[in-house]
Amino acid sequence: MDLSFTPEEIAFRDEVRAFFADEYPADIREKVNRGIRLDKDDHVRWQKILAQHGYMGVNWPVEYGGTGWSPVQKYLFSIEMANANAPDVVPFGVNMVGPVIYSYGNEAQKQRFLPDILESNVWWCQGYSEPGAGSDLASLKTMAVRDGDHYVINGTKTWTTLGQHAEWIFLLARTNTDVARRQEGISFILADMSTPGITVRPIITIEGGHEVNEVHFEDARVPVENLVGEEGRGWTYGKVLLQHERTNIAGVARSKYRLARLKELASSSQHGAKPLMEQATFRGKLVATEVALKALEYTDLRTLAAVATGKAPGPESSILKIKGTEMQQRLDTLYMEAAGYYALPYVPDQFTLDAADDDVVVDSSEPTTALRYFNYRKASIYGGSNEIQKNIIAKHVLGL
Ligand SMILES: Cc1cc2nc3c(=O)[nH]c(=O)nc-3n(C[C@H](O)[C@H](O)[C@H](O)COP(=O)(O)OP(=O)(O)OC[C@H]3O[C@@H](n4cnc5c(N)ncnc54)[C@H](O)[C@@H]3O)c2cc1C
């Protein structure tokens, strides 16, 4: 693995760095720096800026408007984005359903959906999980029954992230129950959220935020033309999408940024007290975390190097998902220690701009440290829980 960058790659990095310095809107930057939740308009505005500069379809082929970047360019872009503390792209459109549509959709679907995904004109959500089907997704019960030119859909999806903003949902539904294996007879369908019979109900998470939802389908009629690929082959398409999701979840660049920021926080003296960094126990934990993060970064780079030579990410995406999310949670724990009693108050409203009062705290993001700590318990569950990733590794790497 050659880790030195070419002059062209360094020029690319400088160009991207300048983009984040010049084009990242100051008001969104301030919200992110203060740990304040972004609203839908913030995300859409930022993603449209990325799209205008051709930076949205990072993983897309050029023919569909993608960047055509090499794995190294993608890596450099993610590092610069994290260092600017710019918000991640909401993944459901561009990172999830987009690749399924350009890989398996028909020409009409590509023309209808891909440009709007790239330009963030339409907000998508992911309808896979159900109350009785999470890790064991193949047991999903949502039915799509053919009636003329429509599917009539009935069932409940759950944990649907940011579904309250979504104009469209991509879902896995059963179109055939007379099958030998449960994975057969599942189809990948796109549905307009304004279809009569589709309702969204909020789920409030442990820190008090509204990020996830239930989506109910009651005799929702969806045109058959919204079926992607072949009927009954949705499981195959859905699995491809999950691999994309898992590699992205690792968030190595973001963790590097957060570690650097944590070091600054722990090195500063607050109200005349000795900096936390001077405590050997805390310093020991920080150093161990830094070493583990370096190891994770090299695993990420090794995967990138393999992808650059034409290999698809296989079980590596499971390894990155486990280690990446464990790292995020480890950092959250250290942030809690560093913030000390400033992290204690439970103030869900601190996630909103009006309520964030930086007079009472040493660092303006402290009131959201505890909220983030609790919110990010999700990281080892979503995208396929870490226990399930271990099963995948056992099967594919260890042959168990
Ligand atoms: C914040 C958040 C956002 C999400 N967003 C979405 C979304 O947008 N769209 C969507 O479709 N889904 C979403 N999910 C759902 C997510 O994919 C599921 O929660 C996940 O797959 C686990 O399923 P489950 O919750 O049903 O738990 P279960 O499958 O019931 O698992 C419960 C526990 O048992 C363990 N377990 C289960 N089976 C095994 C096994 N065979 N071996 C070892 N351990 C096992 C699991 O690891 C877990 O700890 C989201 C989840 C969260 C928490």
Side-chain angles (χ1 to χ4, degrees):
M1 180 172 65
D2 181 5
L3 285 177
S4 53
F5 297 122
T6 64
E8 292 77 23
E9 285 162 349
I10 289 168
F12 170 82
R13 184 198 62 194
D14 292 345
E15 180 192 316
V16 169
R17 190 171 289 175
F19 163 78
F20 283 109
D22 298 341
E23 306 292 337
Y24 178 22
D27 59 323
I28 301 180
R29 184 191 299 262
E30 194 203 341
K31 276 189 177 180
V32 177
N33 286 349
R34 293 171 69 181
I36 292 163
R37 227 186 255 289
L38 300 185
D39 56 33
K40 179 178 179 176
D41 288 348
D42 295 326
H43 283 292
V44 171
R45 183 154 53 99
W46 172 230
Q47 291 183 188
K48 280 184 177 292
I49 293 171
L50 288 171
Q52 277 158 16
H53 286 78
Y55 289 166
M56 258 306 266
V58 166
N59 292 310
W60 288 30
V62 177
E63 62 174 308
Y64 299 119
T67 57
W69 285 342
S70 68
V72 172
Q73 285 176 301
K74 291 178 197 172
Y75 171 75
L76 291 171
F77 183 77
S78 72
I79 293 282
E80 293 306 319
M81 192 168 193
N83 286 346
N85 206 17
D88 283 326
V89 163
V90 178
F92 306 105
V94 75
N95 291 343
M96 294 192 186
V97 73
V100 173
I101 293 175
Y102 67 62
S103 304
Y104 304 106
N106 58 35
E107 212 37 54
Q109 289 169 339
K110 289 178 192 173
Q111 285 181 18
R112 179 174 176 198
F113 295 112
L114 294 180
D116 279 341
I117 291 174
L118 217 47
E119 287 162 30
S120 296
N121 294 332
V122 173
W123 188 292
W124 286 82
C125 65
Q126 178 190 23
Y128 277 22
S129 306
E130 298 184 4
S135 303
D136 185 17
L137 190 58
S139 65
L140 63 89
K141 292 199 168 48
T142 295
M143 286 296 303
V145 177
R146 184 86 185 246
D147 179 24
D149 292 340
H150 287 79
Y151 286 113
V152 180
I153 304 185
N154 280 284
T156 297
K157 295 294 174 181
T158 193
W159 306 119
T160 318
T161 301
L162 301 176
Q164 71 269 36
H165 300 319
E167 282 108 12
W168 279 74
I169 183 168
F170 56 93
L171 70 147
L172 292 176
R174 206 163 275 291
T175 39
N176 186 1
T177 49
D178 186 18
V179 287
R181 289 173 65 243
R182 291 178 313 153
Q183 287 80 358
E184 294 164 15
I186 292 173
S187 296
F188 193 102
I189 299 173
L190 315 175
D192 185 333
M193 291 291 277
S194 65
T195 308
I198 302 182
T199 46
V200 179
R201 291 186 203 146
I203 299 173
I204 302 304
T205 40
I206 190 169
E207 86 291 357
H210 175 199
E211 192 174 284
V212 283
N213 302 271
E214 287 178 351
V215 179
H216 298 266
F217 294 80
E218 287 157 299
D219 291 332
R221 294 180 70 83
V222 174
V224 168
E225 67 196 32
N226 292 359
L227 170 77
V228 177
E230 283 175 52
E231 194 178 88
R233 297 214 52 215
W235 186 258
T236 310
Y237 312 146
K239 269 200 320 196
V240 171
L241 180 153
L242 282 178
Q243 248 174 25
H244 279 275
E245 183 182 0
R246 274 171 209 149
T247 319
N248 290 330
I249 283 175
V252 174
R254 192 74 57 179
S255 288
K256 281 183 68 175
Y257 171 82
R258 293 193 72 228
L259 181 81
R261 180 78 192 64
L262 177 65
K263 277 186 183 171
E264 279 171 26
L265 188 67
S267 302
S268 65
S269 168
Q270 299 176 2
H271 294 292
K274 258 171 63 171
L276 197 57
M277 206 60 146
E278 289 182 22
Q279 280 184 15
T281 33
F282 184 82
R283 217 169 43 239
K285 285 186 217 169
L286 200 81
V287 168
T289 303
E290 188 161 16
V291 171
L293 183 54
K294 193 46 110 186
L296 177 61
E297 188 184 4
Y298 276 76
T299 306
D300 202 16
L301 287 168
R302 260 202 314 274
T303 310
L304 279 177
V307 172
T309 60
K311 294 188 192 130
E316 293 91 339
S317 61
S318 294
I319 296 171
L320 286 170
K321 200 265 159 170
I322 295 172
K323 288 297 176 193
T325 54
E326 283 178 356
M327 177 53 66
Q328 289 161 21
Q329 293 179 342
R330 191 166 168 176
L331 284 167
D332 288 335
T333 307
L334 290 175
Y335 265 89
M336 287 288 276
E337 259 185 64
Y341 60 77
Y342 293 106
L344 284 180
Y346 173 67
V347 191
D349 282 352
Q350 291 286 6
F351 260 156
T352 62
L353 189 58
D354 294 344
D357 174 2
D358 46 3
D359 291 341
V360 295
V361 289
V362 260
D363 177 282
S364 53
S365 66
E366 261 33 271
T368 59
T369 298
L371 299 183
R372 186 192 148 103
Y373 173 86
F374 287 113
N375 181 274
Y376 265 75
R377 301 297 90 196
K378 67 188 177 186
S380 43
I381 302 171
Y382 59 28
S385 75
N386 285 13
E387 289 78 16
I388 294 299
Q389 302 315 311
K390 287 178 187 167
N391 289 351
I392 293 173
I393 295 164
K395 197 166 154 197
H396 293 281
V397 182
L398 306 174
L400 298 175

